[in-house]
């Protein structure tokens, strides 16, 4: 009886994916990072113009939001790919597995810098990661402990900076750019303070470094980086946080601040000199390959030299390409839909 029950359960489990694809879509659906959105959109448009498959639908939901949608299950009600401006976390991988998304390919497409920008023509600032931490942390080191952030202007925390109000417009918690900003800027900027070093509880220390103030100095702008650029043009003293690609595409409107003496340029990011840079990715749900038309062909287009190569059309959109050897390795693994393991 037990063997019969197990056999029936196994057959039922095997039928779930087929049932989920009862009415298969004929168009790829992609969600995720606002940073990767312009690259994915450019590939989708090029792919659609080739005429073999419909142009994929690309939505900007933020990295975290994209992961939740991607990992929710298998079938036509769930997206086929998700863009990410950071790697998939172990907890996201486990959530995917719990919901039957067990065969995933990770595609690293290149590098991006996180810029701290302001309106074109403003006096360019040279900020350290310590400056940014002191400007934006909810609590800051003071008199041997942590106190509510008292700084209202940049000059109050560093006399070499302008006496202008601290007003920074940036991404929400669902954004991979926000995650990377916390890791690369806030966590780095806080680490050398004796008051932080004295904290022995890892969770308390992480909170002290990463918690952003909520008194109006930091303003969440949603997942549309173009809105940040629009707000910078109406707020001359404000700074905005977004990916290098948006700076590259809006050089007639905004300019990047220097970070520790380095400009946020293509050459500085690709050379590893610019301090706030990161890898960017997209993820493929392999159970959808061969069911939703064109997924493998779309991946092949994305990792082609004409797209993400050194002279590819994505470079014109602001992508910082991978080194030659790494691009070749990524291309081979991606086209082969190599399964991600954690």
């Amino acid at each position: 009886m037990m063997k019969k029950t197990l056999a029936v359960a196994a057959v039922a489990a095997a039928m779930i994916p087929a049932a989920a694809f009862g009415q298969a879509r004929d168009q790829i659906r992609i969600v995720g990072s606002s940073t990767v959105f312009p690259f994915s959109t450019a590939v989708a448009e090029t792919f659609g113009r080739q005429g073999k498959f419909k142009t994929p639908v690309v939505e900007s939901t933020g990295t975290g939001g994209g992961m939740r949608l991607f990992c929710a299950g298998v079938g036509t009600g769930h997206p086929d790919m998700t863009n990410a401006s950071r790697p998939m976390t172990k907890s996201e991988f486990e959530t995917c597995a719990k919901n039957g998304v067990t065969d995933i390919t990770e595609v690293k497409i290149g590098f991006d810098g996180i810029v701290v920008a302001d309106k074109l023509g403003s006096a360019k600032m040279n900020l350290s990661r310590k400056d940014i931490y002191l400007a934006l942390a909810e609590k800051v080191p003071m008199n041997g402990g942590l106190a509510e952030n008292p700084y209202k202007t940049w000059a109050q925390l560093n006399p070499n900076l302008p006496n202008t109000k601290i007003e920074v417009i940036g991404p929400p918690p669902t954004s991979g750019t926000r995650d990377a900003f916390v890791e690369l800027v806030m966590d780095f900027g806080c680490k050398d303070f004796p008051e932080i070093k004295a904290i022995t509880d890892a969770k308390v220390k992480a909170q002290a470094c990463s918690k952003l103030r909520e008194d109006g100095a930091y303003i969440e702008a949603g997942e549309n980086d173009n809105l940040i650029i629009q707000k910078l043009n109406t707020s001359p003293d404000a700074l905005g946080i977004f990916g290098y690609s948006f700076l590259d595409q809006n050089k007639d409107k905004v300019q990047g601040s220097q970070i520790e003496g380095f400009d946020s340029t293509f050459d500085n990011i690709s050379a590893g000199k610019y301090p706030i840079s990161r890898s960017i990715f997209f993820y493929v749900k392999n159970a959808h390959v061969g069911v939703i038309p064109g997924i493998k062909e779309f991946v092949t287009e994305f990792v082609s030299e004409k797209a993400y190569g050194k002279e590819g059309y994505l470079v014109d959109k602001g992508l910082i390409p991978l080194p030659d050897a790494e691009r070749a390795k990524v291309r081979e693994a991606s086209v082969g839909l190599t399964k991600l393991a954690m």
Side-chain angles (χ1 to χ4, degrees):
M1 183 65 179
M2 177 69 74
K3 289 183 179 179
K4 183 177 180 181
T5 302
L6 290 173
V8 171
V11 170
M15 291 175 65
I16 290 173
F21 288 110
Q23 293 182 327
R25 282 183 278 108
D26 62 354
Q27 192 172 25
I28 297 168
R29 183 185 170 208
I30 305 167
V31 295
S33 165
S34 62
T35 299
V36 183
F37 176 80
F39 306 132
S40 191
T41 299
V43 176
E45 290 172 350
T46 301
F47 183 72
R49 284 196 296 268
Q50 293 169 3
K52 297 179 182 178
F53 302 97
K54 286 187 176 181
T55 301
V57 175
V58 187
E59 301 172 64
S60 178
T61 64
T63 296
M67 289 294 181
R68 283 193 291 275
L69 292 166
F70 180 82
C71 290
V74 172
T76 54
H78 306 286
D80 312 303
M81 303 180 197
T82 190
N83 299 320
S85 54
R86 57 159 174 78
M88 177 180 281
T89 66
K90 189 172 187 295
S91 64
E92 287 166 343
F93 183 80
E94 289 169 350
T95 298
C96 271
K98 183 177 69 176
N99 292 326
V101 185
T102 57
D103 191 352
I104 302 164
T105 294
E106 177 184 81
V107 183
K108 182 178 177 181
I109 63 171
F111 304 109
D112 183 52
I114 298 176
V115 302
V116 182
D118 57 9
K119 185 177 180 179
L120 187 65
S122 302
K124 183 174 284 192
M125 296 175 70
N126 182 9
L127 298 165
S128 70
R129 284 171 281 183
K130 177 181 175 182
D131 292 332
I132 300 171
Y133 162 71
L134 290 175
L136 297 183
E138 182 180 66
K139 294 184 178 181
V140 294
M142 194 166 287
N143 301 322
L146 294 178
E148 293 293 326
N149 196 324
Y151 301 120
K152 303 299 182 184
T153 70
W154 291 98
Q156 287 175 344
L157 61 92
N158 182 341
N160 295 317
L161 296 176
N163 190 31
T164 54
K165 183 175 72 169
I166 297 171
E167 182 181 2
V168 180
I169 307 165
T174 53
S175 168
T177 298
R178 169 79 163 259
D179 293 337
F181 177 79
V182 166
E183 178 185 351
L184 298 172
V185 178
M186 301 296 288
D187 290 350
F188 185 93
C190 81
K191 66 184 180 66
D192 291 330
F193 286 96
E195 293 90 341
I196 298 294
K197 290 181 177 180
I199 301 173
T200 56
D201 187 306
K203 289 185 178 179
V204 174
K205 182 179 288 189
Q207 179 85 346
C209 291
S210 64
K211 185 74 165 65
L212 298 183
R213 58 198 295 185
E214 298 178 352
D215 58 358
Y218 182 83
I219 303 163
E220 292 181 3
E223 295 291 356
N224 187 342
D225 291 345
N226 285 311
L227 290 179
I228 300 178
I229 291 168
Q230 291 171 18
K231 290 182 179 182
L232 293 183
N233 277 279
T234 59
S235 305
D237 292 332
L239 296 175
I241 298 169
F242 44 81
Y244 166 78
S245 62
F246 281 89
L247 173 66
D248 187 62
Q249 297 297 307
N250 292 278
K251 288 180 179 177
D252 59 331
K253 300 183 185 73
V254 294
Q255 63 186 9
S257 304
Q258 287 189 328
I259 303 296
E260 293 163 11
F262 290 98
D263 286 308
S264 51
T265 64
F266 181 98
D267 290 340
N268 283 341
I269 296 169
S270 61
K273 295 178 181 178
Y274 182 70
I276 320 174
S277 58
R278 57 188 168 165
S279 302
I280 53 179
F281 307 82
F282 69 85
Y283 293 83
V284 183
K285 191 175 295 178
N286 293 341
H288 288 196
V289 175
V291 181
I292 307 299
I295 293 177
K296 188 169 184 178
E297 291 83 358
F298 178 82
V299 174
T300 301
E301 171 67 25
F302 211 129
V303 298
S304 67
E305 278 299 289
K306 68 176 181 177
Y308 90 149
K310 287 192 294 187
E311 305 296 330
Y313 60 79
L314 294 182
V315 173
D316 294 334
K317 295 289 185 181
L319 180 72
I320 313 295
L322 300 169
D324 293 352
E326 188 173 5
R327 279 202 317 280
K329 185 177 179 181
V330 168
R331 181 180 300 112
E332 181 181 359
S334 304
V335 173
L337 298 172
T338 300
K339 185 176 179 178
L340 175 65
M342 282 194 183

